[in-house]
Amino acid sequence: MQKFNTFLAFDIGGTKIAYALVDAKGNLLAEQVRIPTPKDNQVLFDTLKNVVQKFESQIDGIAIATAGEVNKDNTHIIASVGNMPKGYMNTDFTALSDKPVYVENDANAAMWGEYLLGAAKGTENAMLVAIGTGVGLAFIVNGKILKGKSGAGGEAHFSVNREKKRHCSCGLWDCYEIYASGTALGLDAQEVYGRDDVSSHDVIKGLKEKNPLAEKAYHIWESDVVRGIAGLANIFDPEIVVLFGSLTAFMDFDKLQDEVNQQIVTMPLKLKHAQLDNNAALVGTTLAAAEKFNKDA
Ligand SMILES: [Zn+2]
């Protein structure tokens, strides 16, 4: 009989926080609740704490998926992302509850969920590309999440362009993230339209209306997305690439898969949409937390 069966899981991002009760097998016990992410870090912490207090008597532990790079022992953030409130990176998640708290990077958590129960189930090597405001990457290598020396492995900050054209949120120039994110699609649109009042939303709207400028901006963006995936696939040789995030909803996956496979030097891969969708990170962090805590118990 395992000791840790029910978790309160959080998925904390720059624009929204999702939470749900999740069991140790990865089943959501009720639909996820979404709230906007407070702009002030103390308000954010108090918000989390209020949710914890509401569910504390029903749970055995807390499982968090968060923006930012998380340490190897899954207890805290070691480097933060630009779109979280100031001070977030120093959050003491253990202060939320007397119950044990597990913390994982959101892309890693989503990858782990997809690996155990979703699109990457049955593979040993997989890659997740989460396209949102930024780009999150995660890798399963020989059945394990790639953590690197510090836990922060798999960040989309490598140069894909030597033009010194776009300044990335990390401080470097021309990272993959600033060519393949939702932010990047907006920048491509501004260049193509020749105006700075257009965004990724205008491109998505324009695609539905067959607007040639929207199609051109999308094509530029998509080829950058593909270029990065192909380069990473050459390094990691995954069986499957799982695409994740709201911007992937309107992408043609068969076409993308063909384009990636034309550019790689390794064997052909599959490219699929995340199956657990918005619950992937909640499920993944809970499965990882349950495994860790029940092993230690
Ligand atoms: Zn960067």
Side-chain angles (χ1 to χ4, degrees), residues 156-158 167-178:
H157 300 282
F158 55 91
H167 211 190
C168 181
S169 64
C170 73
L172 299 173
W173 287 93
D174 297 315
C175 290
Y176 182 53
E177 179 169 283
I178 200 65

Side-chain angles (χ1 to χ4, degrees), residues 84-294:
M84 294 305 291
K86 197 165 175 276
Y88 178 71
M89 124 168 216
N90 301 316
T91 301
D92 178 10
F93 293 104
T94 62
L96 287 172
S97 170
D98 294 334
K99 308 270 168 79
V101 181
Y102 183 89
V103 187
E104 179 57 286
N105 165 267
D106 48 7
N108 282 356
M111 177 81 269
W112 194 241
E114 290 292 328
Y115 169 64
L116 290 177
L117 296 177
K121 196 176 167 183
T123 68
E124 283 291 293
N125 292 280
M127 177 175 135
L128 179 125
V129 183
I131 302 176
T133 313
V135 174
L137 295 175
F139 301 88
I140 298 281
V141 179
N142 301 330
K144 288 207 165 106
I145 281 275
L146 174 80
K147 301 283 277 180
K149 67 182 185 308
S150 57
E155 285 291 304
H157 300 282
F158 55 91
S159 173
V160 290
N161 192 317
R162 299 177 69 128
E163 290 175 54
K164 267 209 172 185
K165 205 165 127 193
R166 290 185 188 171
H167 211 190
C168 181
S169 64
C170 73
L172 299 173
W173 287 93
D174 297 315
C175 290
Y176 182 53
E177 179 169 283
I178 200 65
Y179 286 88
S181 58
T183 308
L185 180 56
L187 293 172
D188 288 329
Q190 289 173 14
E191 286 171 17
V192 169
Y193 286 65
R195 301 175 3 217
D196 58 7
D197 61 344
V198 286
S199 70
S200 56
H201 301 289
D202 297 302
V203 177
I204 294 164
K205 196 164 155 274
L207 285 176
K208 286 176 194 149
E209 296 159 356
K210 302 220 177 296
N211 175 319
L213 291 178
E215 284 173 347
K216 189 178 175 193
Y218 175 77
H219 181 73
I220 292 167
W221 177 76
E222 191 213 61
S223 61
D224 282 333
V225 171
V226 165
R227 193 153 57 116
I229 292 174
L232 291 164
N234 281 337
I235 298 168
F236 290 97
D237 195 17
E239 289 158 65
I240 183 166
V241 175
V242 181
L243 283 192
F244 181 77
S246 55
L247 269 174
T248 63
F250 65 97
M251 298 174 97
D252 179 341
F253 276 56
D254 289 339
K255 182 169 166 272
L256 277 181
Q257 181 177 298
D258 286 347
E259 286 174 6
V260 170
N261 281 327
Q262 279 162 20
Q263 291 186 30
I264 59 174
V265 298
T266 56
M267 293 297 107
L269 54 76
K270 289 196 179 71
L271 192 138
K272 285 189 185 167
H273 196 271
Q275 263 176 24
L276 305 179
D277 225 347
N278 287 334
N279 291 325
L282 293 174
V283 169
T285 189
T286 301
L287 290 169
E291 191 188 330
K292 184 180 185 206
F293 294 154
N294 282 315

Side-chain angles (χ1 to χ4, degrees), residues 36-82:
T37 306
K39 299 284 169 234
D40 177 84
N41 197 48
Q42 188 59 47
V43 178
L44 195 165
F45 187 83
D46 294 343
T47 303
L48 297 177
K49 183 116 187 162
N50 282 340
V51 177
V52 170
Q53 278 167 351
K54 203 168 134 196
F55 292 100
E56 202 152 28
S57 63
Q58 304 172 51
I59 59 172
D60 304 309
I62 294 170
I64 293 172
T66 176
E69 299 159 34
V70 173
N71 69 321
K72 241 179 168 169
D73 291 331
N74 298 99
T75 55
H76 63 274
I77 296 171
I78 50 177
S80 193
V81 291

